[in-house]
Amino acid sequence: MNPSLELAGVALAAGLARHGDRPAVLTGGSVLSYQELARRVDAFAARLGTARRLVVLAADNSVGSLVAYLAALASGHPLILAPAGNDAAIASLVSAYDPDVIVRPGTAGDAWGEPALEEVRPVTHHTFHPDLALLLSTSGSTGSPKLVRLSRENVQSNAEAIATYLDISADDRAATTLPMSYCYGLSVINSHLLRGAGIVLTDLSVVDPCFWQLFRNRRATSFAAVPYTFELLDRVGFTDMDLPDLRYVTQAGGRLDPGMVVRYAEHGRTHGWELFVMYGQTEATARMAYLPPDLAQSHPGAIGVPVPGGSFRIEPVPGLEDGELVYSGPNVMLGYAETPADFAAGRTISELRTGDLARRNAVGLYEVVGRRSRFVKIVGLRIDLGRVEKMLHAMGVQAACAGTDRKLVAAVEGSHDTRLLAKTLAQDLGLPRASVEVHAVQSLPRLATGKTDYPAVLALATPASTPAASGQDPAAPAGTGSATAPEDVRRIFAEALEVEDIADDDTFVSLGGDSLSYVAASVRLEKALGNLPPDWHVTPVRDLAERARPRRGYRRFIAPLETSIMLRAVAIVVIISTHVDLIRWPGTAHVLMVLAGYNFARFQLAGDRLPRLRRQLHSVARIVVPTVVFIGAVMLLSDKFNYTPANLLLLNTMIGPAGWTDAWHFWFIEVLVYVLLAMTALLAVPWVHRTERRFPLAFPVALVGAGLLARYGLIGVDILHTRPVLWLFALGWAFARARTVPQRLALSAITALALPGYFGDPWREATILAGILLLAWLPALPVPAFLHRLIGVLASASLYVYVTHWVVFPDLKDNHPVLAVALSLAVGVVYWAVSLRLQGRLKRY
């Protein structure tokens, strides 16, 4: 076969000029007509030459990539599409298939620029089948040597089928929400160019307000979405948007939850647009089925009917209730390519076995019920991973499941009781508990296409290991990376948190840990394991021992201690010493308020809204109950202190006298409780919860701004009779969320500007500023290792010390101030220890 033989290209690419001056490509600032697009395509085709050569295009959503794509299709050059941003995928394809030409995007940021063309050789040494037009990576394997071979007829016929059932006209304009290197995104371009419609070309995300501004300005009529897109649409408030030109939304790239289908179909019906749920695979060029929009609400779980020109049959599968869905049509690929020799092959398959298990319902719609290849056999039981996902979904859990013949692995989105879920799955499936793992993740792992990344789910599995296999000494002592370290972690967590059943994937936070129990646990873990990672409180038990670093050399004597712990311990000692008149160093109570916000962000904001609410209320109760119990005991047993019922209700700061009396002893506790309850109530509101999740740093910064209004007296209401502290609490929260140096610098600048004049006492304000800057910029401080336990106990008991010290020091302060401080600390520590023991017993009942 003569590789230089000139062949006709794909018609939709070769016939652009026939659409004349109609707009073909629209960007934020320019419009390219079909005539102009045709001229640019012809010019680039001339650069490719008339002899057929293998072209690799690193494509992005730019005019240059679009021109290069159409030029290769129009002039008959076999084209491999790859994502421009994935250098590893491009290198893999170049290595595997040895292209003649490599085309990359032009100047970065120039969407209209000419793409860069790298000539590898002027004449190909490959042999191409006459029908070969396009080569795409199979779904989920971008960069894999395995490619789908598509013909001119495949590309043209599928574009025609899509344009037919979507009724695309020259007046339509589609916004590009998906990369053109992805077959779904490419099908949007092909079907619209076929009908002379416009392409609103952009690489903006749907979460970017600029995307929707462009969408409205260019009067776009449609956009494409994968299941994950709808989660993003929910976050940006899509259902509240005014999109007057929107005609339809398409969905493919994986199964969309039926509830989501119903909700968006209903919204579209009431707002004048339609939802097209579609089904396809790269092996079918793009689309194989669509669900007519008028049936979306009544049959939201169906994939619908075959696209025009296609047909389905269901082939029985031995041992299964449902059969495999098999598709026939002109868009079925020629076959696969795994080496350059496959370019010469013609059609090797006549129909496509989808690998999906399906049935046809009573009204003639096809429904996919599982995946033939997504089965594992564990202890002789055949497990359908797709149905396991549906089981979890029925429990209200978004999940992705993978597995081997030894283990089922599920990733669940958000904060869930993974132990309970694993136990439930094991019971329902009839599996041993040890063969089921459930891992909580912030969001399900996804590929660049938006599809679930199942290999990443499987990678969450706990590897089987032994001390010998890991190179550890079974007899190694704690703190040196011992093989028994996970058991040390479990024991410490069990004692610090009063819990018994601790699994490998549990974390300090998932077990209910908060700022009050954090200190004791961290100090004991440091002693057992060595230096802890900064995120130890959200690190699974199985990983914590491995991530801890053993202390060596001088670090056995001088070891880092977390700054927040050190500040709590120092602050409570300074507060007591100041009240006893041993020293005068005001300001550390307000450092503790900043620490409260910092720890609130670390321990109280993970998980879904309702579980988070319960955890926040529990944390507030751990402050309120011991305080109220102690105040009540003092009121009952002594008449020395003028406490009132307002103290017992922690309301003195609101309704008590303005002057300083005994009743003001607990102002800090009261104000802290008010702030915590206010933040808990605020975050219990669903839209506020979503806003905080979407803007984790901007949200507390906004609270800082609101708090500064009160700090500068710009709010005329004063119900607390104290200096406003919300801005300090929110500042600590913001510092916990800051991830970059510029962010911390900006917050430090706000702190430095807002503190002067807060008290009118430069020393007090400097103390607060120093504490905040230490917290922000020094995560740990070097402290003699033998002091860690003592500092940890003082920090853990700081709340209890504050509550109790008022009744301890008065009789000693004048003659024995040092003893007054020491005894105040000791009584507070004892009250802390007794309270913890009582709380633990109550948990067990």
Side-chain angles (χ1 to χ4, degrees):
M1 189 175 299
N2 184 357
S4 66
L5 181 65
E6 293 189 29
L7 293 172
V10 178
L12 67 88
L16 297 170
R18 65 188 174 91
H19 300 298
D21 291 328
R22 295 196 62 83
V25 181
L26 305 93
T27 63
S30 302
V31 178
L32 191 68
S33 72
Y34 271 92
Q35 287 280 12
E36 294 167 331
L37 178 60
R39 282 194 290 270
R40 292 189 64 163
V41 168
D42 289 343
F44 198 84
R47 293 178 63 188
L48 293 175
T50 56
R52 297 182 84 197
R53 294 190 293 172
L54 180 64
V55 180
V56 166
L57 170 59
D60 59 8
N61 285 4
S62 66
V63 175
S65 289
L66 178 63
V67 166
Y69 164 70
L70 293 171
L73 254 60
S75 54
H77 295 279
L79 175 68
I80 300 176
L81 270 184
N86 193 333
D87 293 338
I90 296 167
S92 175
L93 290 168
V94 169
S95 175
Y97 292 105
D98 190 19
D100 306 306
V101 180
I102 302 172
V103 182
R104 303 178 189 272
T107 306
D110 183 6
W112 290 80
E114 190 77 4
L117 188 151
E118 177 187 342
E119 296 266 5
V120 178
R121 63 182 65 85
V123 179
T124 189
H125 55 221
H126 300 303
T127 301
F128 307 116
H129 190 275
D131 293 337
L132 183 63
L134 185 63
L135 297 120
L136 299 177
S137 292
T138 56
S139 298
S141 60
T142 301
S144 165
K146 188 174 184 179
L147 298 175
V148 171
R149 293 184 293 116
L150 300 175
S151 68
R152 287 170 293 152
E153 182 188 21
N154 291 155
V155 177
Q156 185 74 21
S157 65
N158 203 231
E160 290 174 349
I162 294 169
T164 297
Y165 71 74
L166 292 179
D167 194 23
I168 298 173
S169 73
D171 295 326
D172 280 308
R173 294 180 179 179
T176 56
T177 51
L178 301 168
M180 65 178 294
S181 56
Y182 174 34
C183 72
Y184 181 14
L186 192 63
S187 72
V188 173
I189 292 173
N190 290 342
S191 56
H192 281 73
L193 293 178
L194 176 72
R195 292 290 177 88
I199 305 293
V200 182
L201 196 62
T202 178
D203 60 359
L204 294 172
S205 167
V206 295
V207 300
D208 191 330
C210 295
F211 172 85
W212 298 109
Q213 182 178 350
L214 175 65
F215 194 94
R216 283 185 285 265
N217 290 346
R218 288 307 188 187
R219 304 191 66 180
T221 60
S222 69
F223 65 90
V226 296
Y228 183 56
T229 309
F230 288 89
E231 298 179 28
L232 301 179
L233 293 177
D234 280 346
R235 293 184 194 176
V236 300
F238 171 77
T239 54
D240 297 326
M241 292 182 183
D242 180 25
L243 303 171
D245 297 296
L246 180 61
R247 189 169 73 82
Y248 65 86
V249 176
T250 63
Q251 182 272 318
R255 182 179 183 270
L256 183 63
D257 177 69
M260 190 82 79
V261 173
V262 171
R263 182 155 61 87
Y264 272 86
E266 170 61 20
H267 179 74
R269 187 185 65 79
T270 58
H271 287 76
W273 55 267
E274 296 179 312
L275 175 66
F276 283 86
V277 175
M278 308 188 300
Y279 168 78
Q281 292 180 0
T282 308
E283 289 84 346
T285 309
R287 305 276 70 79
M288 288 184 281
Y290 71 98
L291 180 62
D294 59 328
L295 299 177
Q297 289 181 267
S298 56
H299 299 278
I303 62 170
V305 297
V307 300
S311 63
F312 285 126
R313 66 181 179 85
I314 296 177
E315 182 174 285
V317 176
L320 295 179
E321 180 182 349
D322 301 298
E324 182 178 7
L325 189 65
V326 181
Y327 175 79
S328 298
N331 53 317
V332 172
M333 66 175 179
L334 297 173
Y336 292 110
E338 298 188 68
T339 68
D342 294 325
F343 297 153
R347 180 169 294 281
T348 57
I349 66 169
S350 58
E351 58 183 8
L352 178 61
R353 296 179 178 275
T354 65
D356 288 325
L357 300 175
R359 61 171 69 111
R360 192 178 185 188
N361 66 21
V363 296
L365 300 177
Y366 288 88
E367 299 174 348
V368 171
V369 296
R371 182 78 181 152
R372 182 172 183 175
S373 60
R374 295 203 65 227
F375 283 85
V376 292
K377 183 175 285 189
I378 304 174
V379 295
L381 297 175
R382 188 177 177 86
I383 306 298
D384 180 346
L385 298 175
R387 292 192 177 178
V388 176
E389 291 175 357
K390 292 179 181 178
M391 289 169 58
L392 288 166
H393 185 266
M395 302 176 199
V397 179
Q398 295 297 323
C401 297
T404 66
D405 286 344
R406 297 178 59 188
K407 185 172 292 186
L408 169 66
V409 183
V412 296
E413 194 168 81
S415 178
H416 294 281
D417 187 337
T418 54
R419 291 172 296 150
L420 178 60
L421 288 175
K423 181 179 179 180
T424 302
L425 285 178
Q427 290 175 344
D428 290 349
L429 298 171
L431 294 174
R433 172 62 183 85
S435 65
V436 180
E437 285 189 20
V438 178
H439 300 267
V441 295
Q442 186 173 1
S443 58
L444 297 180
R446 298 186 185 279
L447 302 164
T449 61
K451 292 186 176 182
T452 303
D453 186 349
Y454 286 108
V457 174
L458 189 58
L460 296 172
T462 305
S465 61
T466 64
S470 61
Q472 295 175 331
D473 179 5
T480 60
S482 74
T484 59
E487 295 308 317
D488 293 333
V489 175
R490 287 189 184 87
R491 186 187 71 254
I492 292 169
F493 280 3
E495 294 172 359
L497 302 175
E498 295 291 344
V499 293
E500 296 178 358
D501 188 12
I502 300 176
D504 283 346
D505 52 358
D506 281 327
T507 69
F508 176 79
V509 171
S510 74
L511 291 169
D514 59 14
S515 61
L516 296 177
S517 50
Y518 173 84
V519 179
S522 65
V523 171
R524 292 187 62 188
L525 286 170
E526 286 251 357
K527 183 177 180 181
L529 304 178
N531 298 328
L532 299 175
D535 60 347
W536 73 263
H537 55 296
V538 291
T539 300
V541 167
R542 66 169 175 274
D543 300 330
L544 188 52
E546 295 178 5
R547 293 190 57 195
R549 300 189 307 276
R551 297 174 185 155
R552 295 184 174 86
Y554 82 97
R555 290 186 179 273
R556 294 181 181 177
F557 306 100
I558 303 293
L561 182 66
E562 190 174 320
T563 301
S564 67
I565 298 174
M566 190 68 181
L567 286 175
R568 283 172 66 176
V570 170
I572 194 61
V573 172
V574 170
I575 288 170
I576 306 297
S577 300
T578 298
H579 289 170
V580 172
D581 294 330
L582 185 64
I583 61 173
R584 186 182 183 280
W585 195 346
T588 51
H590 289 78
V591 174
L592 289 178
M593 188 61 67
V594 176
L595 277 169
Y598 182 79
N599 287 324
F600 181 79
R602 297 174 75 196
F603 304 114
Q604 302 300 327
L605 296 182
D608 292 336
R609 183 171 59 90
L610 293 179
R612 181 165 77 174
L613 175 61
R614 288 192 293 269
R615 190 167 62 249
Q616 289 165 348
L617 291 175
H618 174 75
S619 183
V620 172
R622 293 189 65 191
I623 299 173
V624 170
V625 171
T627 303
V628 170
V629 167
F630 184 80
I631 294 172
V634 173
M635 292 176 66
L636 183 65
L637 300 175
S638 171
D639 57 3
K640 185 176 181 180
F641 300 93
N642 297 318
Y643 296 153
T644 70
N647 289 120
L648 202 58
L649 298 173
L650 299 183
L651 291 176
N652 180 75
T653 311
M654 283 190 180
I655 63 176
W660 180 266
T661 66
D662 289 349
W664 277 85
H665 285 172
F666 307 101
W667 74 267
F668 178 85
I669 303 292
E670 292 178 1
V671 172
L672 176 61
V673 169
Y674 301 159
V675 172
L676 289 173
L677 287 177
M679 295 302 100
T680 298
L682 183 64
L683 292 169
V685 179
W687 70 265
V688 177
H689 167 81
R690 293 193 297 269
T691 302
E692 187 276 328
R693 284 299 179 84
R694 186 179 172 202
F695 303 106
L697 177 59
F699 188 88
V701 170
L703 289 176
V704 172
L708 287 175
L709 293 177
R711 179 257 181 271
Y712 287 107
L714 300 178
I715 298 177
V717 179
D718 181 13
I719 62 172
L720 298 184
H721 311 301
T722 65
R723 285 178 176 81
V725 297
L726 173 62
W727 72 282
L728 291 173
F729 181 91
L731 200 59
W733 181 345
F735 272 116
R737 291 304 202 199
R739 294 293 180 266
T740 66
V741 169
Q743 289 171 350
R744 293 202 301 274
L745 282 172
L747 292 171
S748 299
I750 292 172
T751 306
L753 291 172
L755 272 171
Y758 182 48
F759 284 102
D761 179 348
W763 174 256
R764 195 172 196 173
E765 292 156 1
T767 295
I768 300 171
L769 178 62
I772 293 173
L773 294 181
L774 279 173
L775 183 68
W777 294 98
L778 292 176
L781 298 170
V783 176
F786 69 88
L787 290 178
H788 280 210
R789 185 66 183 269
L790 173 63
I791 294 170
V793 168
L794 290 176
S796 298
S798 56
L799 169 76
Y800 299 82
V801 172
Y802 184 90
V803 169
T804 59
H805 85 284
W806 296 106
V807 304
V808 177
F809 74 81
D811 292 336
L812 298 171
K813 62 175 291 190
D814 293 333
N815 298 317
H816 306 285
V818 174
L819 178 61
V821 172
L823 194 58
S824 294
L825 295 173
V827 170
V829 169
V830 170
Y831 186 43
W832 164 69
V834 171
S835 296
L836 287 187
R837 185 64 59 87
L838 291 175
Q839 291 172 31
R841 288 185 178 179
L842 289 174
K843 274 188 177 182
R844 287 191 285 269
Y845 289 118

